Amino acid sequence: MFKTLTMTVNGAEVSIPVDERESLVDTLRNRLGLTSVKKGCEVGECGACTVLVDGEAIDSCIYLSVWAEGRRILTVEGLKSPTGELDPIQQAFIDEAATQCGFCTPGIIMSAVEIVGTGKRYSREELRKLISGHLCRCTGYESILNAMERIVEETYKRVGK
Amino acid sequence: MFDIESLYQATGIQDAIRALQADERAMIISGGSDVLIQCREGRLAGCSLVSIHGIPELMGIEQAADGTVTIRAATSFSHIANHEIIRRTVPMLGDAVDQVGGPQIRNIGTIGGNVCNGVTSADSASSLWALNATLELHSASGVRQVPIRDFYTGAGKTVRRRDEVLVALHIQKKDYDGFGGCYLKYGKRNAMEIATLGCAAMVRLTEDRRHVADLRLAYGVAGPTPLRCVNTEDAARGMKTDEALLLHVAAGAVAEVNPRTSWRASKEFRLQLVSELAKRAVRQATLNAGGELDV
Ligand SMILES: Cc1cc2nc3c(=O)[nH]c(=O)nc-3n(C[C@H](O)[C@H](O)[C@H](O)COP(=O)(O)OP(=O)(O)OC[C@H]3O[C@@H](n4cnc5c(N)ncnc54)[C@H](O)[C@@H]3O)c2cc1C
Ligand code: FES
Ligand code: FES
């Protein structure tokens, strides 16, 4: 059955018909064209489909679209500034060469948004745990952790908690 | 698209109960991190779902005047792990749910789903068992409070009827006050891994801090359901906190559990883990209770 879903996606309110059997990753990719949200495993193992729902990172492949009613969704498309510049988190990933094929990158960046948003300082070991819901088949994770460390540190210096 | 026959989003507990009664094939979905996986795998193909996702009266943690800690069933793991009440009263449970899956799973998975799936490897189950949690089930025929020791009936099976909603879990003050606790999970990886074995130990010390006043030892994956080693616990009371205590819990536990061989690990390896984790968890629980243990 189709339902009208109203949610805020990347800052803008959208109202669209969705099939109640649909996963959020399908709605975001196929109905809204937000293809930064990747489909890897579709069973919550790889994190490629990670988006923020009301500020919390979730695997959108195992999230029913109807659950997003009235909620705020954030994807990588919503990170760029009004003038089109990259978010400092994205820039940190570039500076540290933390992306190779790029398939895992949007998902990890969304987890990074949640982590950096706390304004806390994390050890490398803590960051390892905080990105454990993501699989990367290219980088070996070290460069990703470098990027995370850099941006967490920069943010802490600015807003430190 | 998930292979779902129908989905009804309930607006509250009563509405969910009504919807479950109206469709005798319907089952509950909460965070969906078990149900939606089984839909994908085809095991639940064509299911009818009543969603209790996001219902405010099913979320949150409170402490009553008598100290009882109540965790509502649809509270997600990440909201439990660092909650002030949990850290202050039952930190072992907070540590246990902080080891479920990865961060995104902890943001979506609920403690209610973790016990209602009836699975022996559920990371919260052994701690809840050690804490003597009571499960509050609501249905059209009323409310019943089920002690966790009466909840599990077999692998993946519980006494919960299809049309009963787990509303909350309660932990009484006498079951946490003065205890030190420790949950240890053994898995092949440090994250995103179902437990090969889970062990929850709690220790309360006598006034001299050198003897055991009370001890609890619970396991996941050491049998078809989570379980407690009650004989070992009984015999541990009054014992001095020394190496003999650790040897006692290790040997006692091995005699009380009943693990099996699966693709994850052999029965023999699990028995080795039962013994080793008992020692480590009881040791840490003793230290967390403010005791000493010179071994
Ligand atoms: C990638 C991945 C990793 C995982 N890792 C772990 C892990 O490390 N440790 C672990 O323990 N689990 C793990 N799980 C399993 C799962 O996340 C947990 O079991 C979780 O607690 C399920 O909760 P849920 O709300 O998502 O359940 P759902 O899928 O919504 O429901 C699970 C079952 O419980 C029933 N149910 C749910 N809530 C209620 C209620 N309030 N009243 C009555 N019945 C109810 C449902 O009908 C269903 O049978 C993992 C899952 C995934 C996908
Ligand atoms: S596609 Fe969602 S976790 Fe892999
Ligand atoms: S960069 Fe290729 S999967 Fe991570």
Side-chain angles (χ1 to χ4, degrees), chain B residues 187-254:
Chain B
K188 282 211 217 36
R189 300 184 289 180
N190 289 335
M192 297 299 279
E193 178 71 352
I194 300 296
T196 302
L197 196 88
C199 174
M202 290 170 59
V203 172
R204 193 160 54 79
L205 298 169
T206 52
E207 230 158 82
D208 68 359
R209 292 180 180 252
R210 302 295 294 176
H211 296 82
V212 174
D214 199 358
L215 183 144
R216 300 186 185 166
L217 189 59
Y219 287 97
V221 214
T225 68
L227 55 85
R228 274 272 288 271
C229 298
V230 284
N231 298 335
T232 308
E233 295 178 1
D234 286 343
R237 280 189 207 105
M239 282 182 78
K240 204 160 172 278
T241 53
D242 59 11
E243 178 143 30
L245 171 68
L246 302 188
L247 295 174
H248 158 72
V249 289
V254 166

Side-chain angles (χ1 to χ4, degrees), chain A residues 25 38-50 59-62 133:
Chain A
V25 63
K38 303 297 183 213
K39 269 206 221 181
C41 64
E42 288 194 77
V43 285
E45 294 277 350
C46 75
C49 63
T50 301
D59 299 310
S60 61
C61 68
I62 50 169

Side-chain angles (χ1 to χ4, degrees), chain A residues 88-98 108 111-113 115-116 119-131 141-158:
Chain A
I89 298 175
Q90 293 173 296
Q91 193 58 49
F93 272 66
I94 293 170
D95 295 344
E96 293 294 340
I108 300 184
S111 280
V113 172
I115 296 162
V116 170
K120 286 192 203 137
R121 201 172 218 162
Y122 297 98
S123 68
R124 202 169 174 93
E125 222 24 68
E126 287 168 326
L127 289 173
R128 221 179 265 285
K129 183 180 176 201
L130 290 170
I131 61 159
Y141 302 103
E142 291 305 316
S143 55
I144 293 174
L145 287 163
N146 293 344
M148 299 278 294
E149 257 179 356
R150 175 196 279 240
I151 188 65
V152 160
E153 200 57 33
E154 277 175 18
T155 311
Y156 180 76
K157 283 200 188 114
R158 271 191 294 114

Side-chain angles (χ1 to χ4, degrees), chain A residues 99-105 135-139:
Chain A
T99 188
Q100 287 186 27
C101 81
F103 199 82
C104 68
T105 313
L135 292 178
C136 174
R137 298 293 79 167
C138 304
T139 63

Side-chain angles (χ1 to χ4, degrees), chain A residues 19-23 26 42-45 47 50 56-57 59 61-64 66-67 114 129-130 132-134, chain B residues 1-2 4 6-7 9 29-32 36-37 40 51 53-54 79 98 102-108 191-192:
Chain A
D19 191 302
E20 62 185 11
R21 299 168 298 174
E22 210 166 296
S23 63
D26 282 336
E42 288 194 77
V43 285
E45 294 277 350
T50 301
E56 294 188 1
D59 299 310
C61 68
I62 50 169
Y63 190 93
L64 291 171
V66 292
W67 288 343
E114 186 188 17
K129 183 180 176 201
L130 290 170
S132 62
H134 295 276
Chain B
M1 208 78 80
F2 291 103
I4 299 170
S6 71
L7 174 81
Q9 176 62 47
I29 182 169
S30 184
L36 292 176
I37 304 300
R40 283 264 195 261
S51 168
H53 191 92
H79 284 218
D98 199 38
Q104 300 100 308
I105 296 295
R106 292 195 287 274
N107 278 341
I108 199 80
M192 297 299 279

